[in-house]
Amino acid sequence: MSGKFMSIKRIIIPTITMVIIASQLMGCAAASQSELLQMINQGDAIEIEIATPKNQEQGEEFAIDWEELALLTTNPDLRKSWDDILNITPTDTGKNGILYVDAEGNNEPNNTLRVALHNREFLKYLDSETDTLKLAEAVAGNYVDIESDDTMKSVYMGINGYFNLLPDASPNYANPDSTLQRNEFMAMVFRAETPVQDLTVDESFESAVGASDYNIYAQGVAQNSYLDLQSKSLNNLTANGTITRAEAIYLIVSRYFSDDLKAVDTKSTTFTDAKDGGNIAEQQKFIEDATQKDYWKSYELTYAVQNPDNGLPTDLFKALVVAKDKGLVGDVTRWDEALTRSEAMELLIEALKQETGIAQFNAKQGITEGHEATTTEATTATEGEETTAETAEDDSINSTHTDVTLGEDEYKGDSILDKTNVQDDLSKEDEAAVDAIVDQLMKEHPEWFSTEGSQNVGTQQYQGEHVGTLDNTANTRQIEFGSTTSDVAPGTVY
C-alpha cells in the first residue's frame, strides 16, 4: 500500500451498537478471521475502514442543493471565465452554448454533464492543450487549493464546481484530495446524469442507510452499488463510510457498461496490484451452506481490504477488467484505497465520454423555440465542416420578397413553375396536396394571385411576378441525430 496513505477515516453512527470490536479496529488493527466470523454470526453490522490520504478536508462544506445549470450562482467568477472561454451566452431563459444543448440539438438550460460530454464541440475543448490550460487557469483563480500546473485535475474540479455535482467548501476550497463517502459518490453520479426535478425520498432506502441530505440522490443509483440493500451491507455505517476505488469502479461499470460486465473474460487481463480472490464470502463462511448471512458483502469487502494480497471478490475484479479495457484504470489500480474527489471526477468523466446510452452529436449552440439556428448554432459531425441556417434578425424584413425587382437575366423561380401545366407531371395525390397549399396561400396572400399574366399550379392560378418556390415547410430547421448507416457521423445537425 502506498506510503502516503497513513490515516484512517472513520464515521461512527451511534444508532447502531456493537458494530466492531473496539479493542481491535479502534486501535487501527485488523480483526482476525475468527473475530470477523464471530461478529457476523452475532448479526453485527461492521464498519469498513479504508486507508485515506494524509490530506485533510479544508473549510466548511456548503449544504448540497439542486438548481438548474443555467440558473446556478455558485462560483460566479469561475462561471464567467468558463462561459467566456466556451463561448456561452446568456438568453431570455438562461444560457446557450456547448454546455446547454440537449441530445436533439435544442437549447437546454437544465442540461446535465452526461449530455454535455456527448457533444463533440465540448470534447474538442477537453482535448485541446491550449483550451484546457485556459480552463485550468480559471479554476486556479477560483479555488485557493488548486494549482493550474496540474491541468487536468484543475479541469476536473472545475467541472464539478460548474455543474454543482458535489458542494465546495467555504471560503474557496475544492478539496480535490479529500475522500468521498459512498453516499457522496452515489449522489455525484446521479446528479451528473439527471436533470433537476422534484424528487421524493425513498423511505425504505432512508430507513436502511439513515437520514442524509445525499439520500435523495444516492437512492437513484443504489441498484448499482456493490454493497447492497438486500444483504443489509449498504447501511447506516457503510453509506456514510469511505468508498474504495474498487467499489466506485464497480458502480460506474455496472451502470454504464453492464453488457461488458456480463460478458467479461478475466483470464487474459492482469494487474500489478490486483487479482481475482474468488468467492471470498464462501471461503470465509460469510455465506455458509448456501445461506447468505446479514451484512455478508460488507464483511467480504472488509476481509479483502485487510488482506489485499489474497485478491478481491470476483465481481469487483471483473469490474476492474472492464475498466482497464475502457482506459479507466491501468496496470496499477490501487483498488483497496480510498477514492478522492478529483479521482471520482476523472473516473466519472472518462466513463461518460464513452458510454453509448446517448449518441454523440455536434452543436455549438442549441436551437431555441420559435427561432432557427444562427450561423454558430450547429455543426456537422465531419471535422472542420459546418452547415448553418440563417435567420432574419430584423422583423421588418419582407419575407415574401415582393419588394424585390429582378432583372431579365436574374433567377425568377424554380423550373417547375415555368411549365404550362404542372398537373401533367403530378399524381392525383400530389395534385391534391398542391391544391391545398395554393388554396391556403390564396387565403393568406390574395395579392399573389390574378387571372392575368399567370401560370397554372394545380387547378389554381399563380401570379407571374412572384419569385421563388412554394414552401410548405414553414422554414423548419431539419436535424438528424443518431444515424449510423450514412457517411455522416451520428448526431449531425443540419
Side-chain angles (χ1 to χ4, degrees), residues 69-90:
L69 182 62
L71 303 180
L72 284 168
T73 57
T74 55
N75 297 307
D77 293 339
L78 174 65
R79 293 188 187 285
K80 183 180 185 307
S81 296
W82 274 36
D83 286 350
D84 290 343
I85 295 168
L86 300 174
N87 295 312
I88 291 169
T89 57

Side-chain angles (χ1 to χ4, degrees), residues 120 122-132 152 353:
R120 289 191 185 96
F122 181 37
L123 297 182
K124 289 178 183 178
Y125 282 88
L126 299 184
D127 292 337
S128 166
E129 183 177 348
T130 300
D131 291 328
T132 53
M152 290 316 299
K353 286 161 63 175

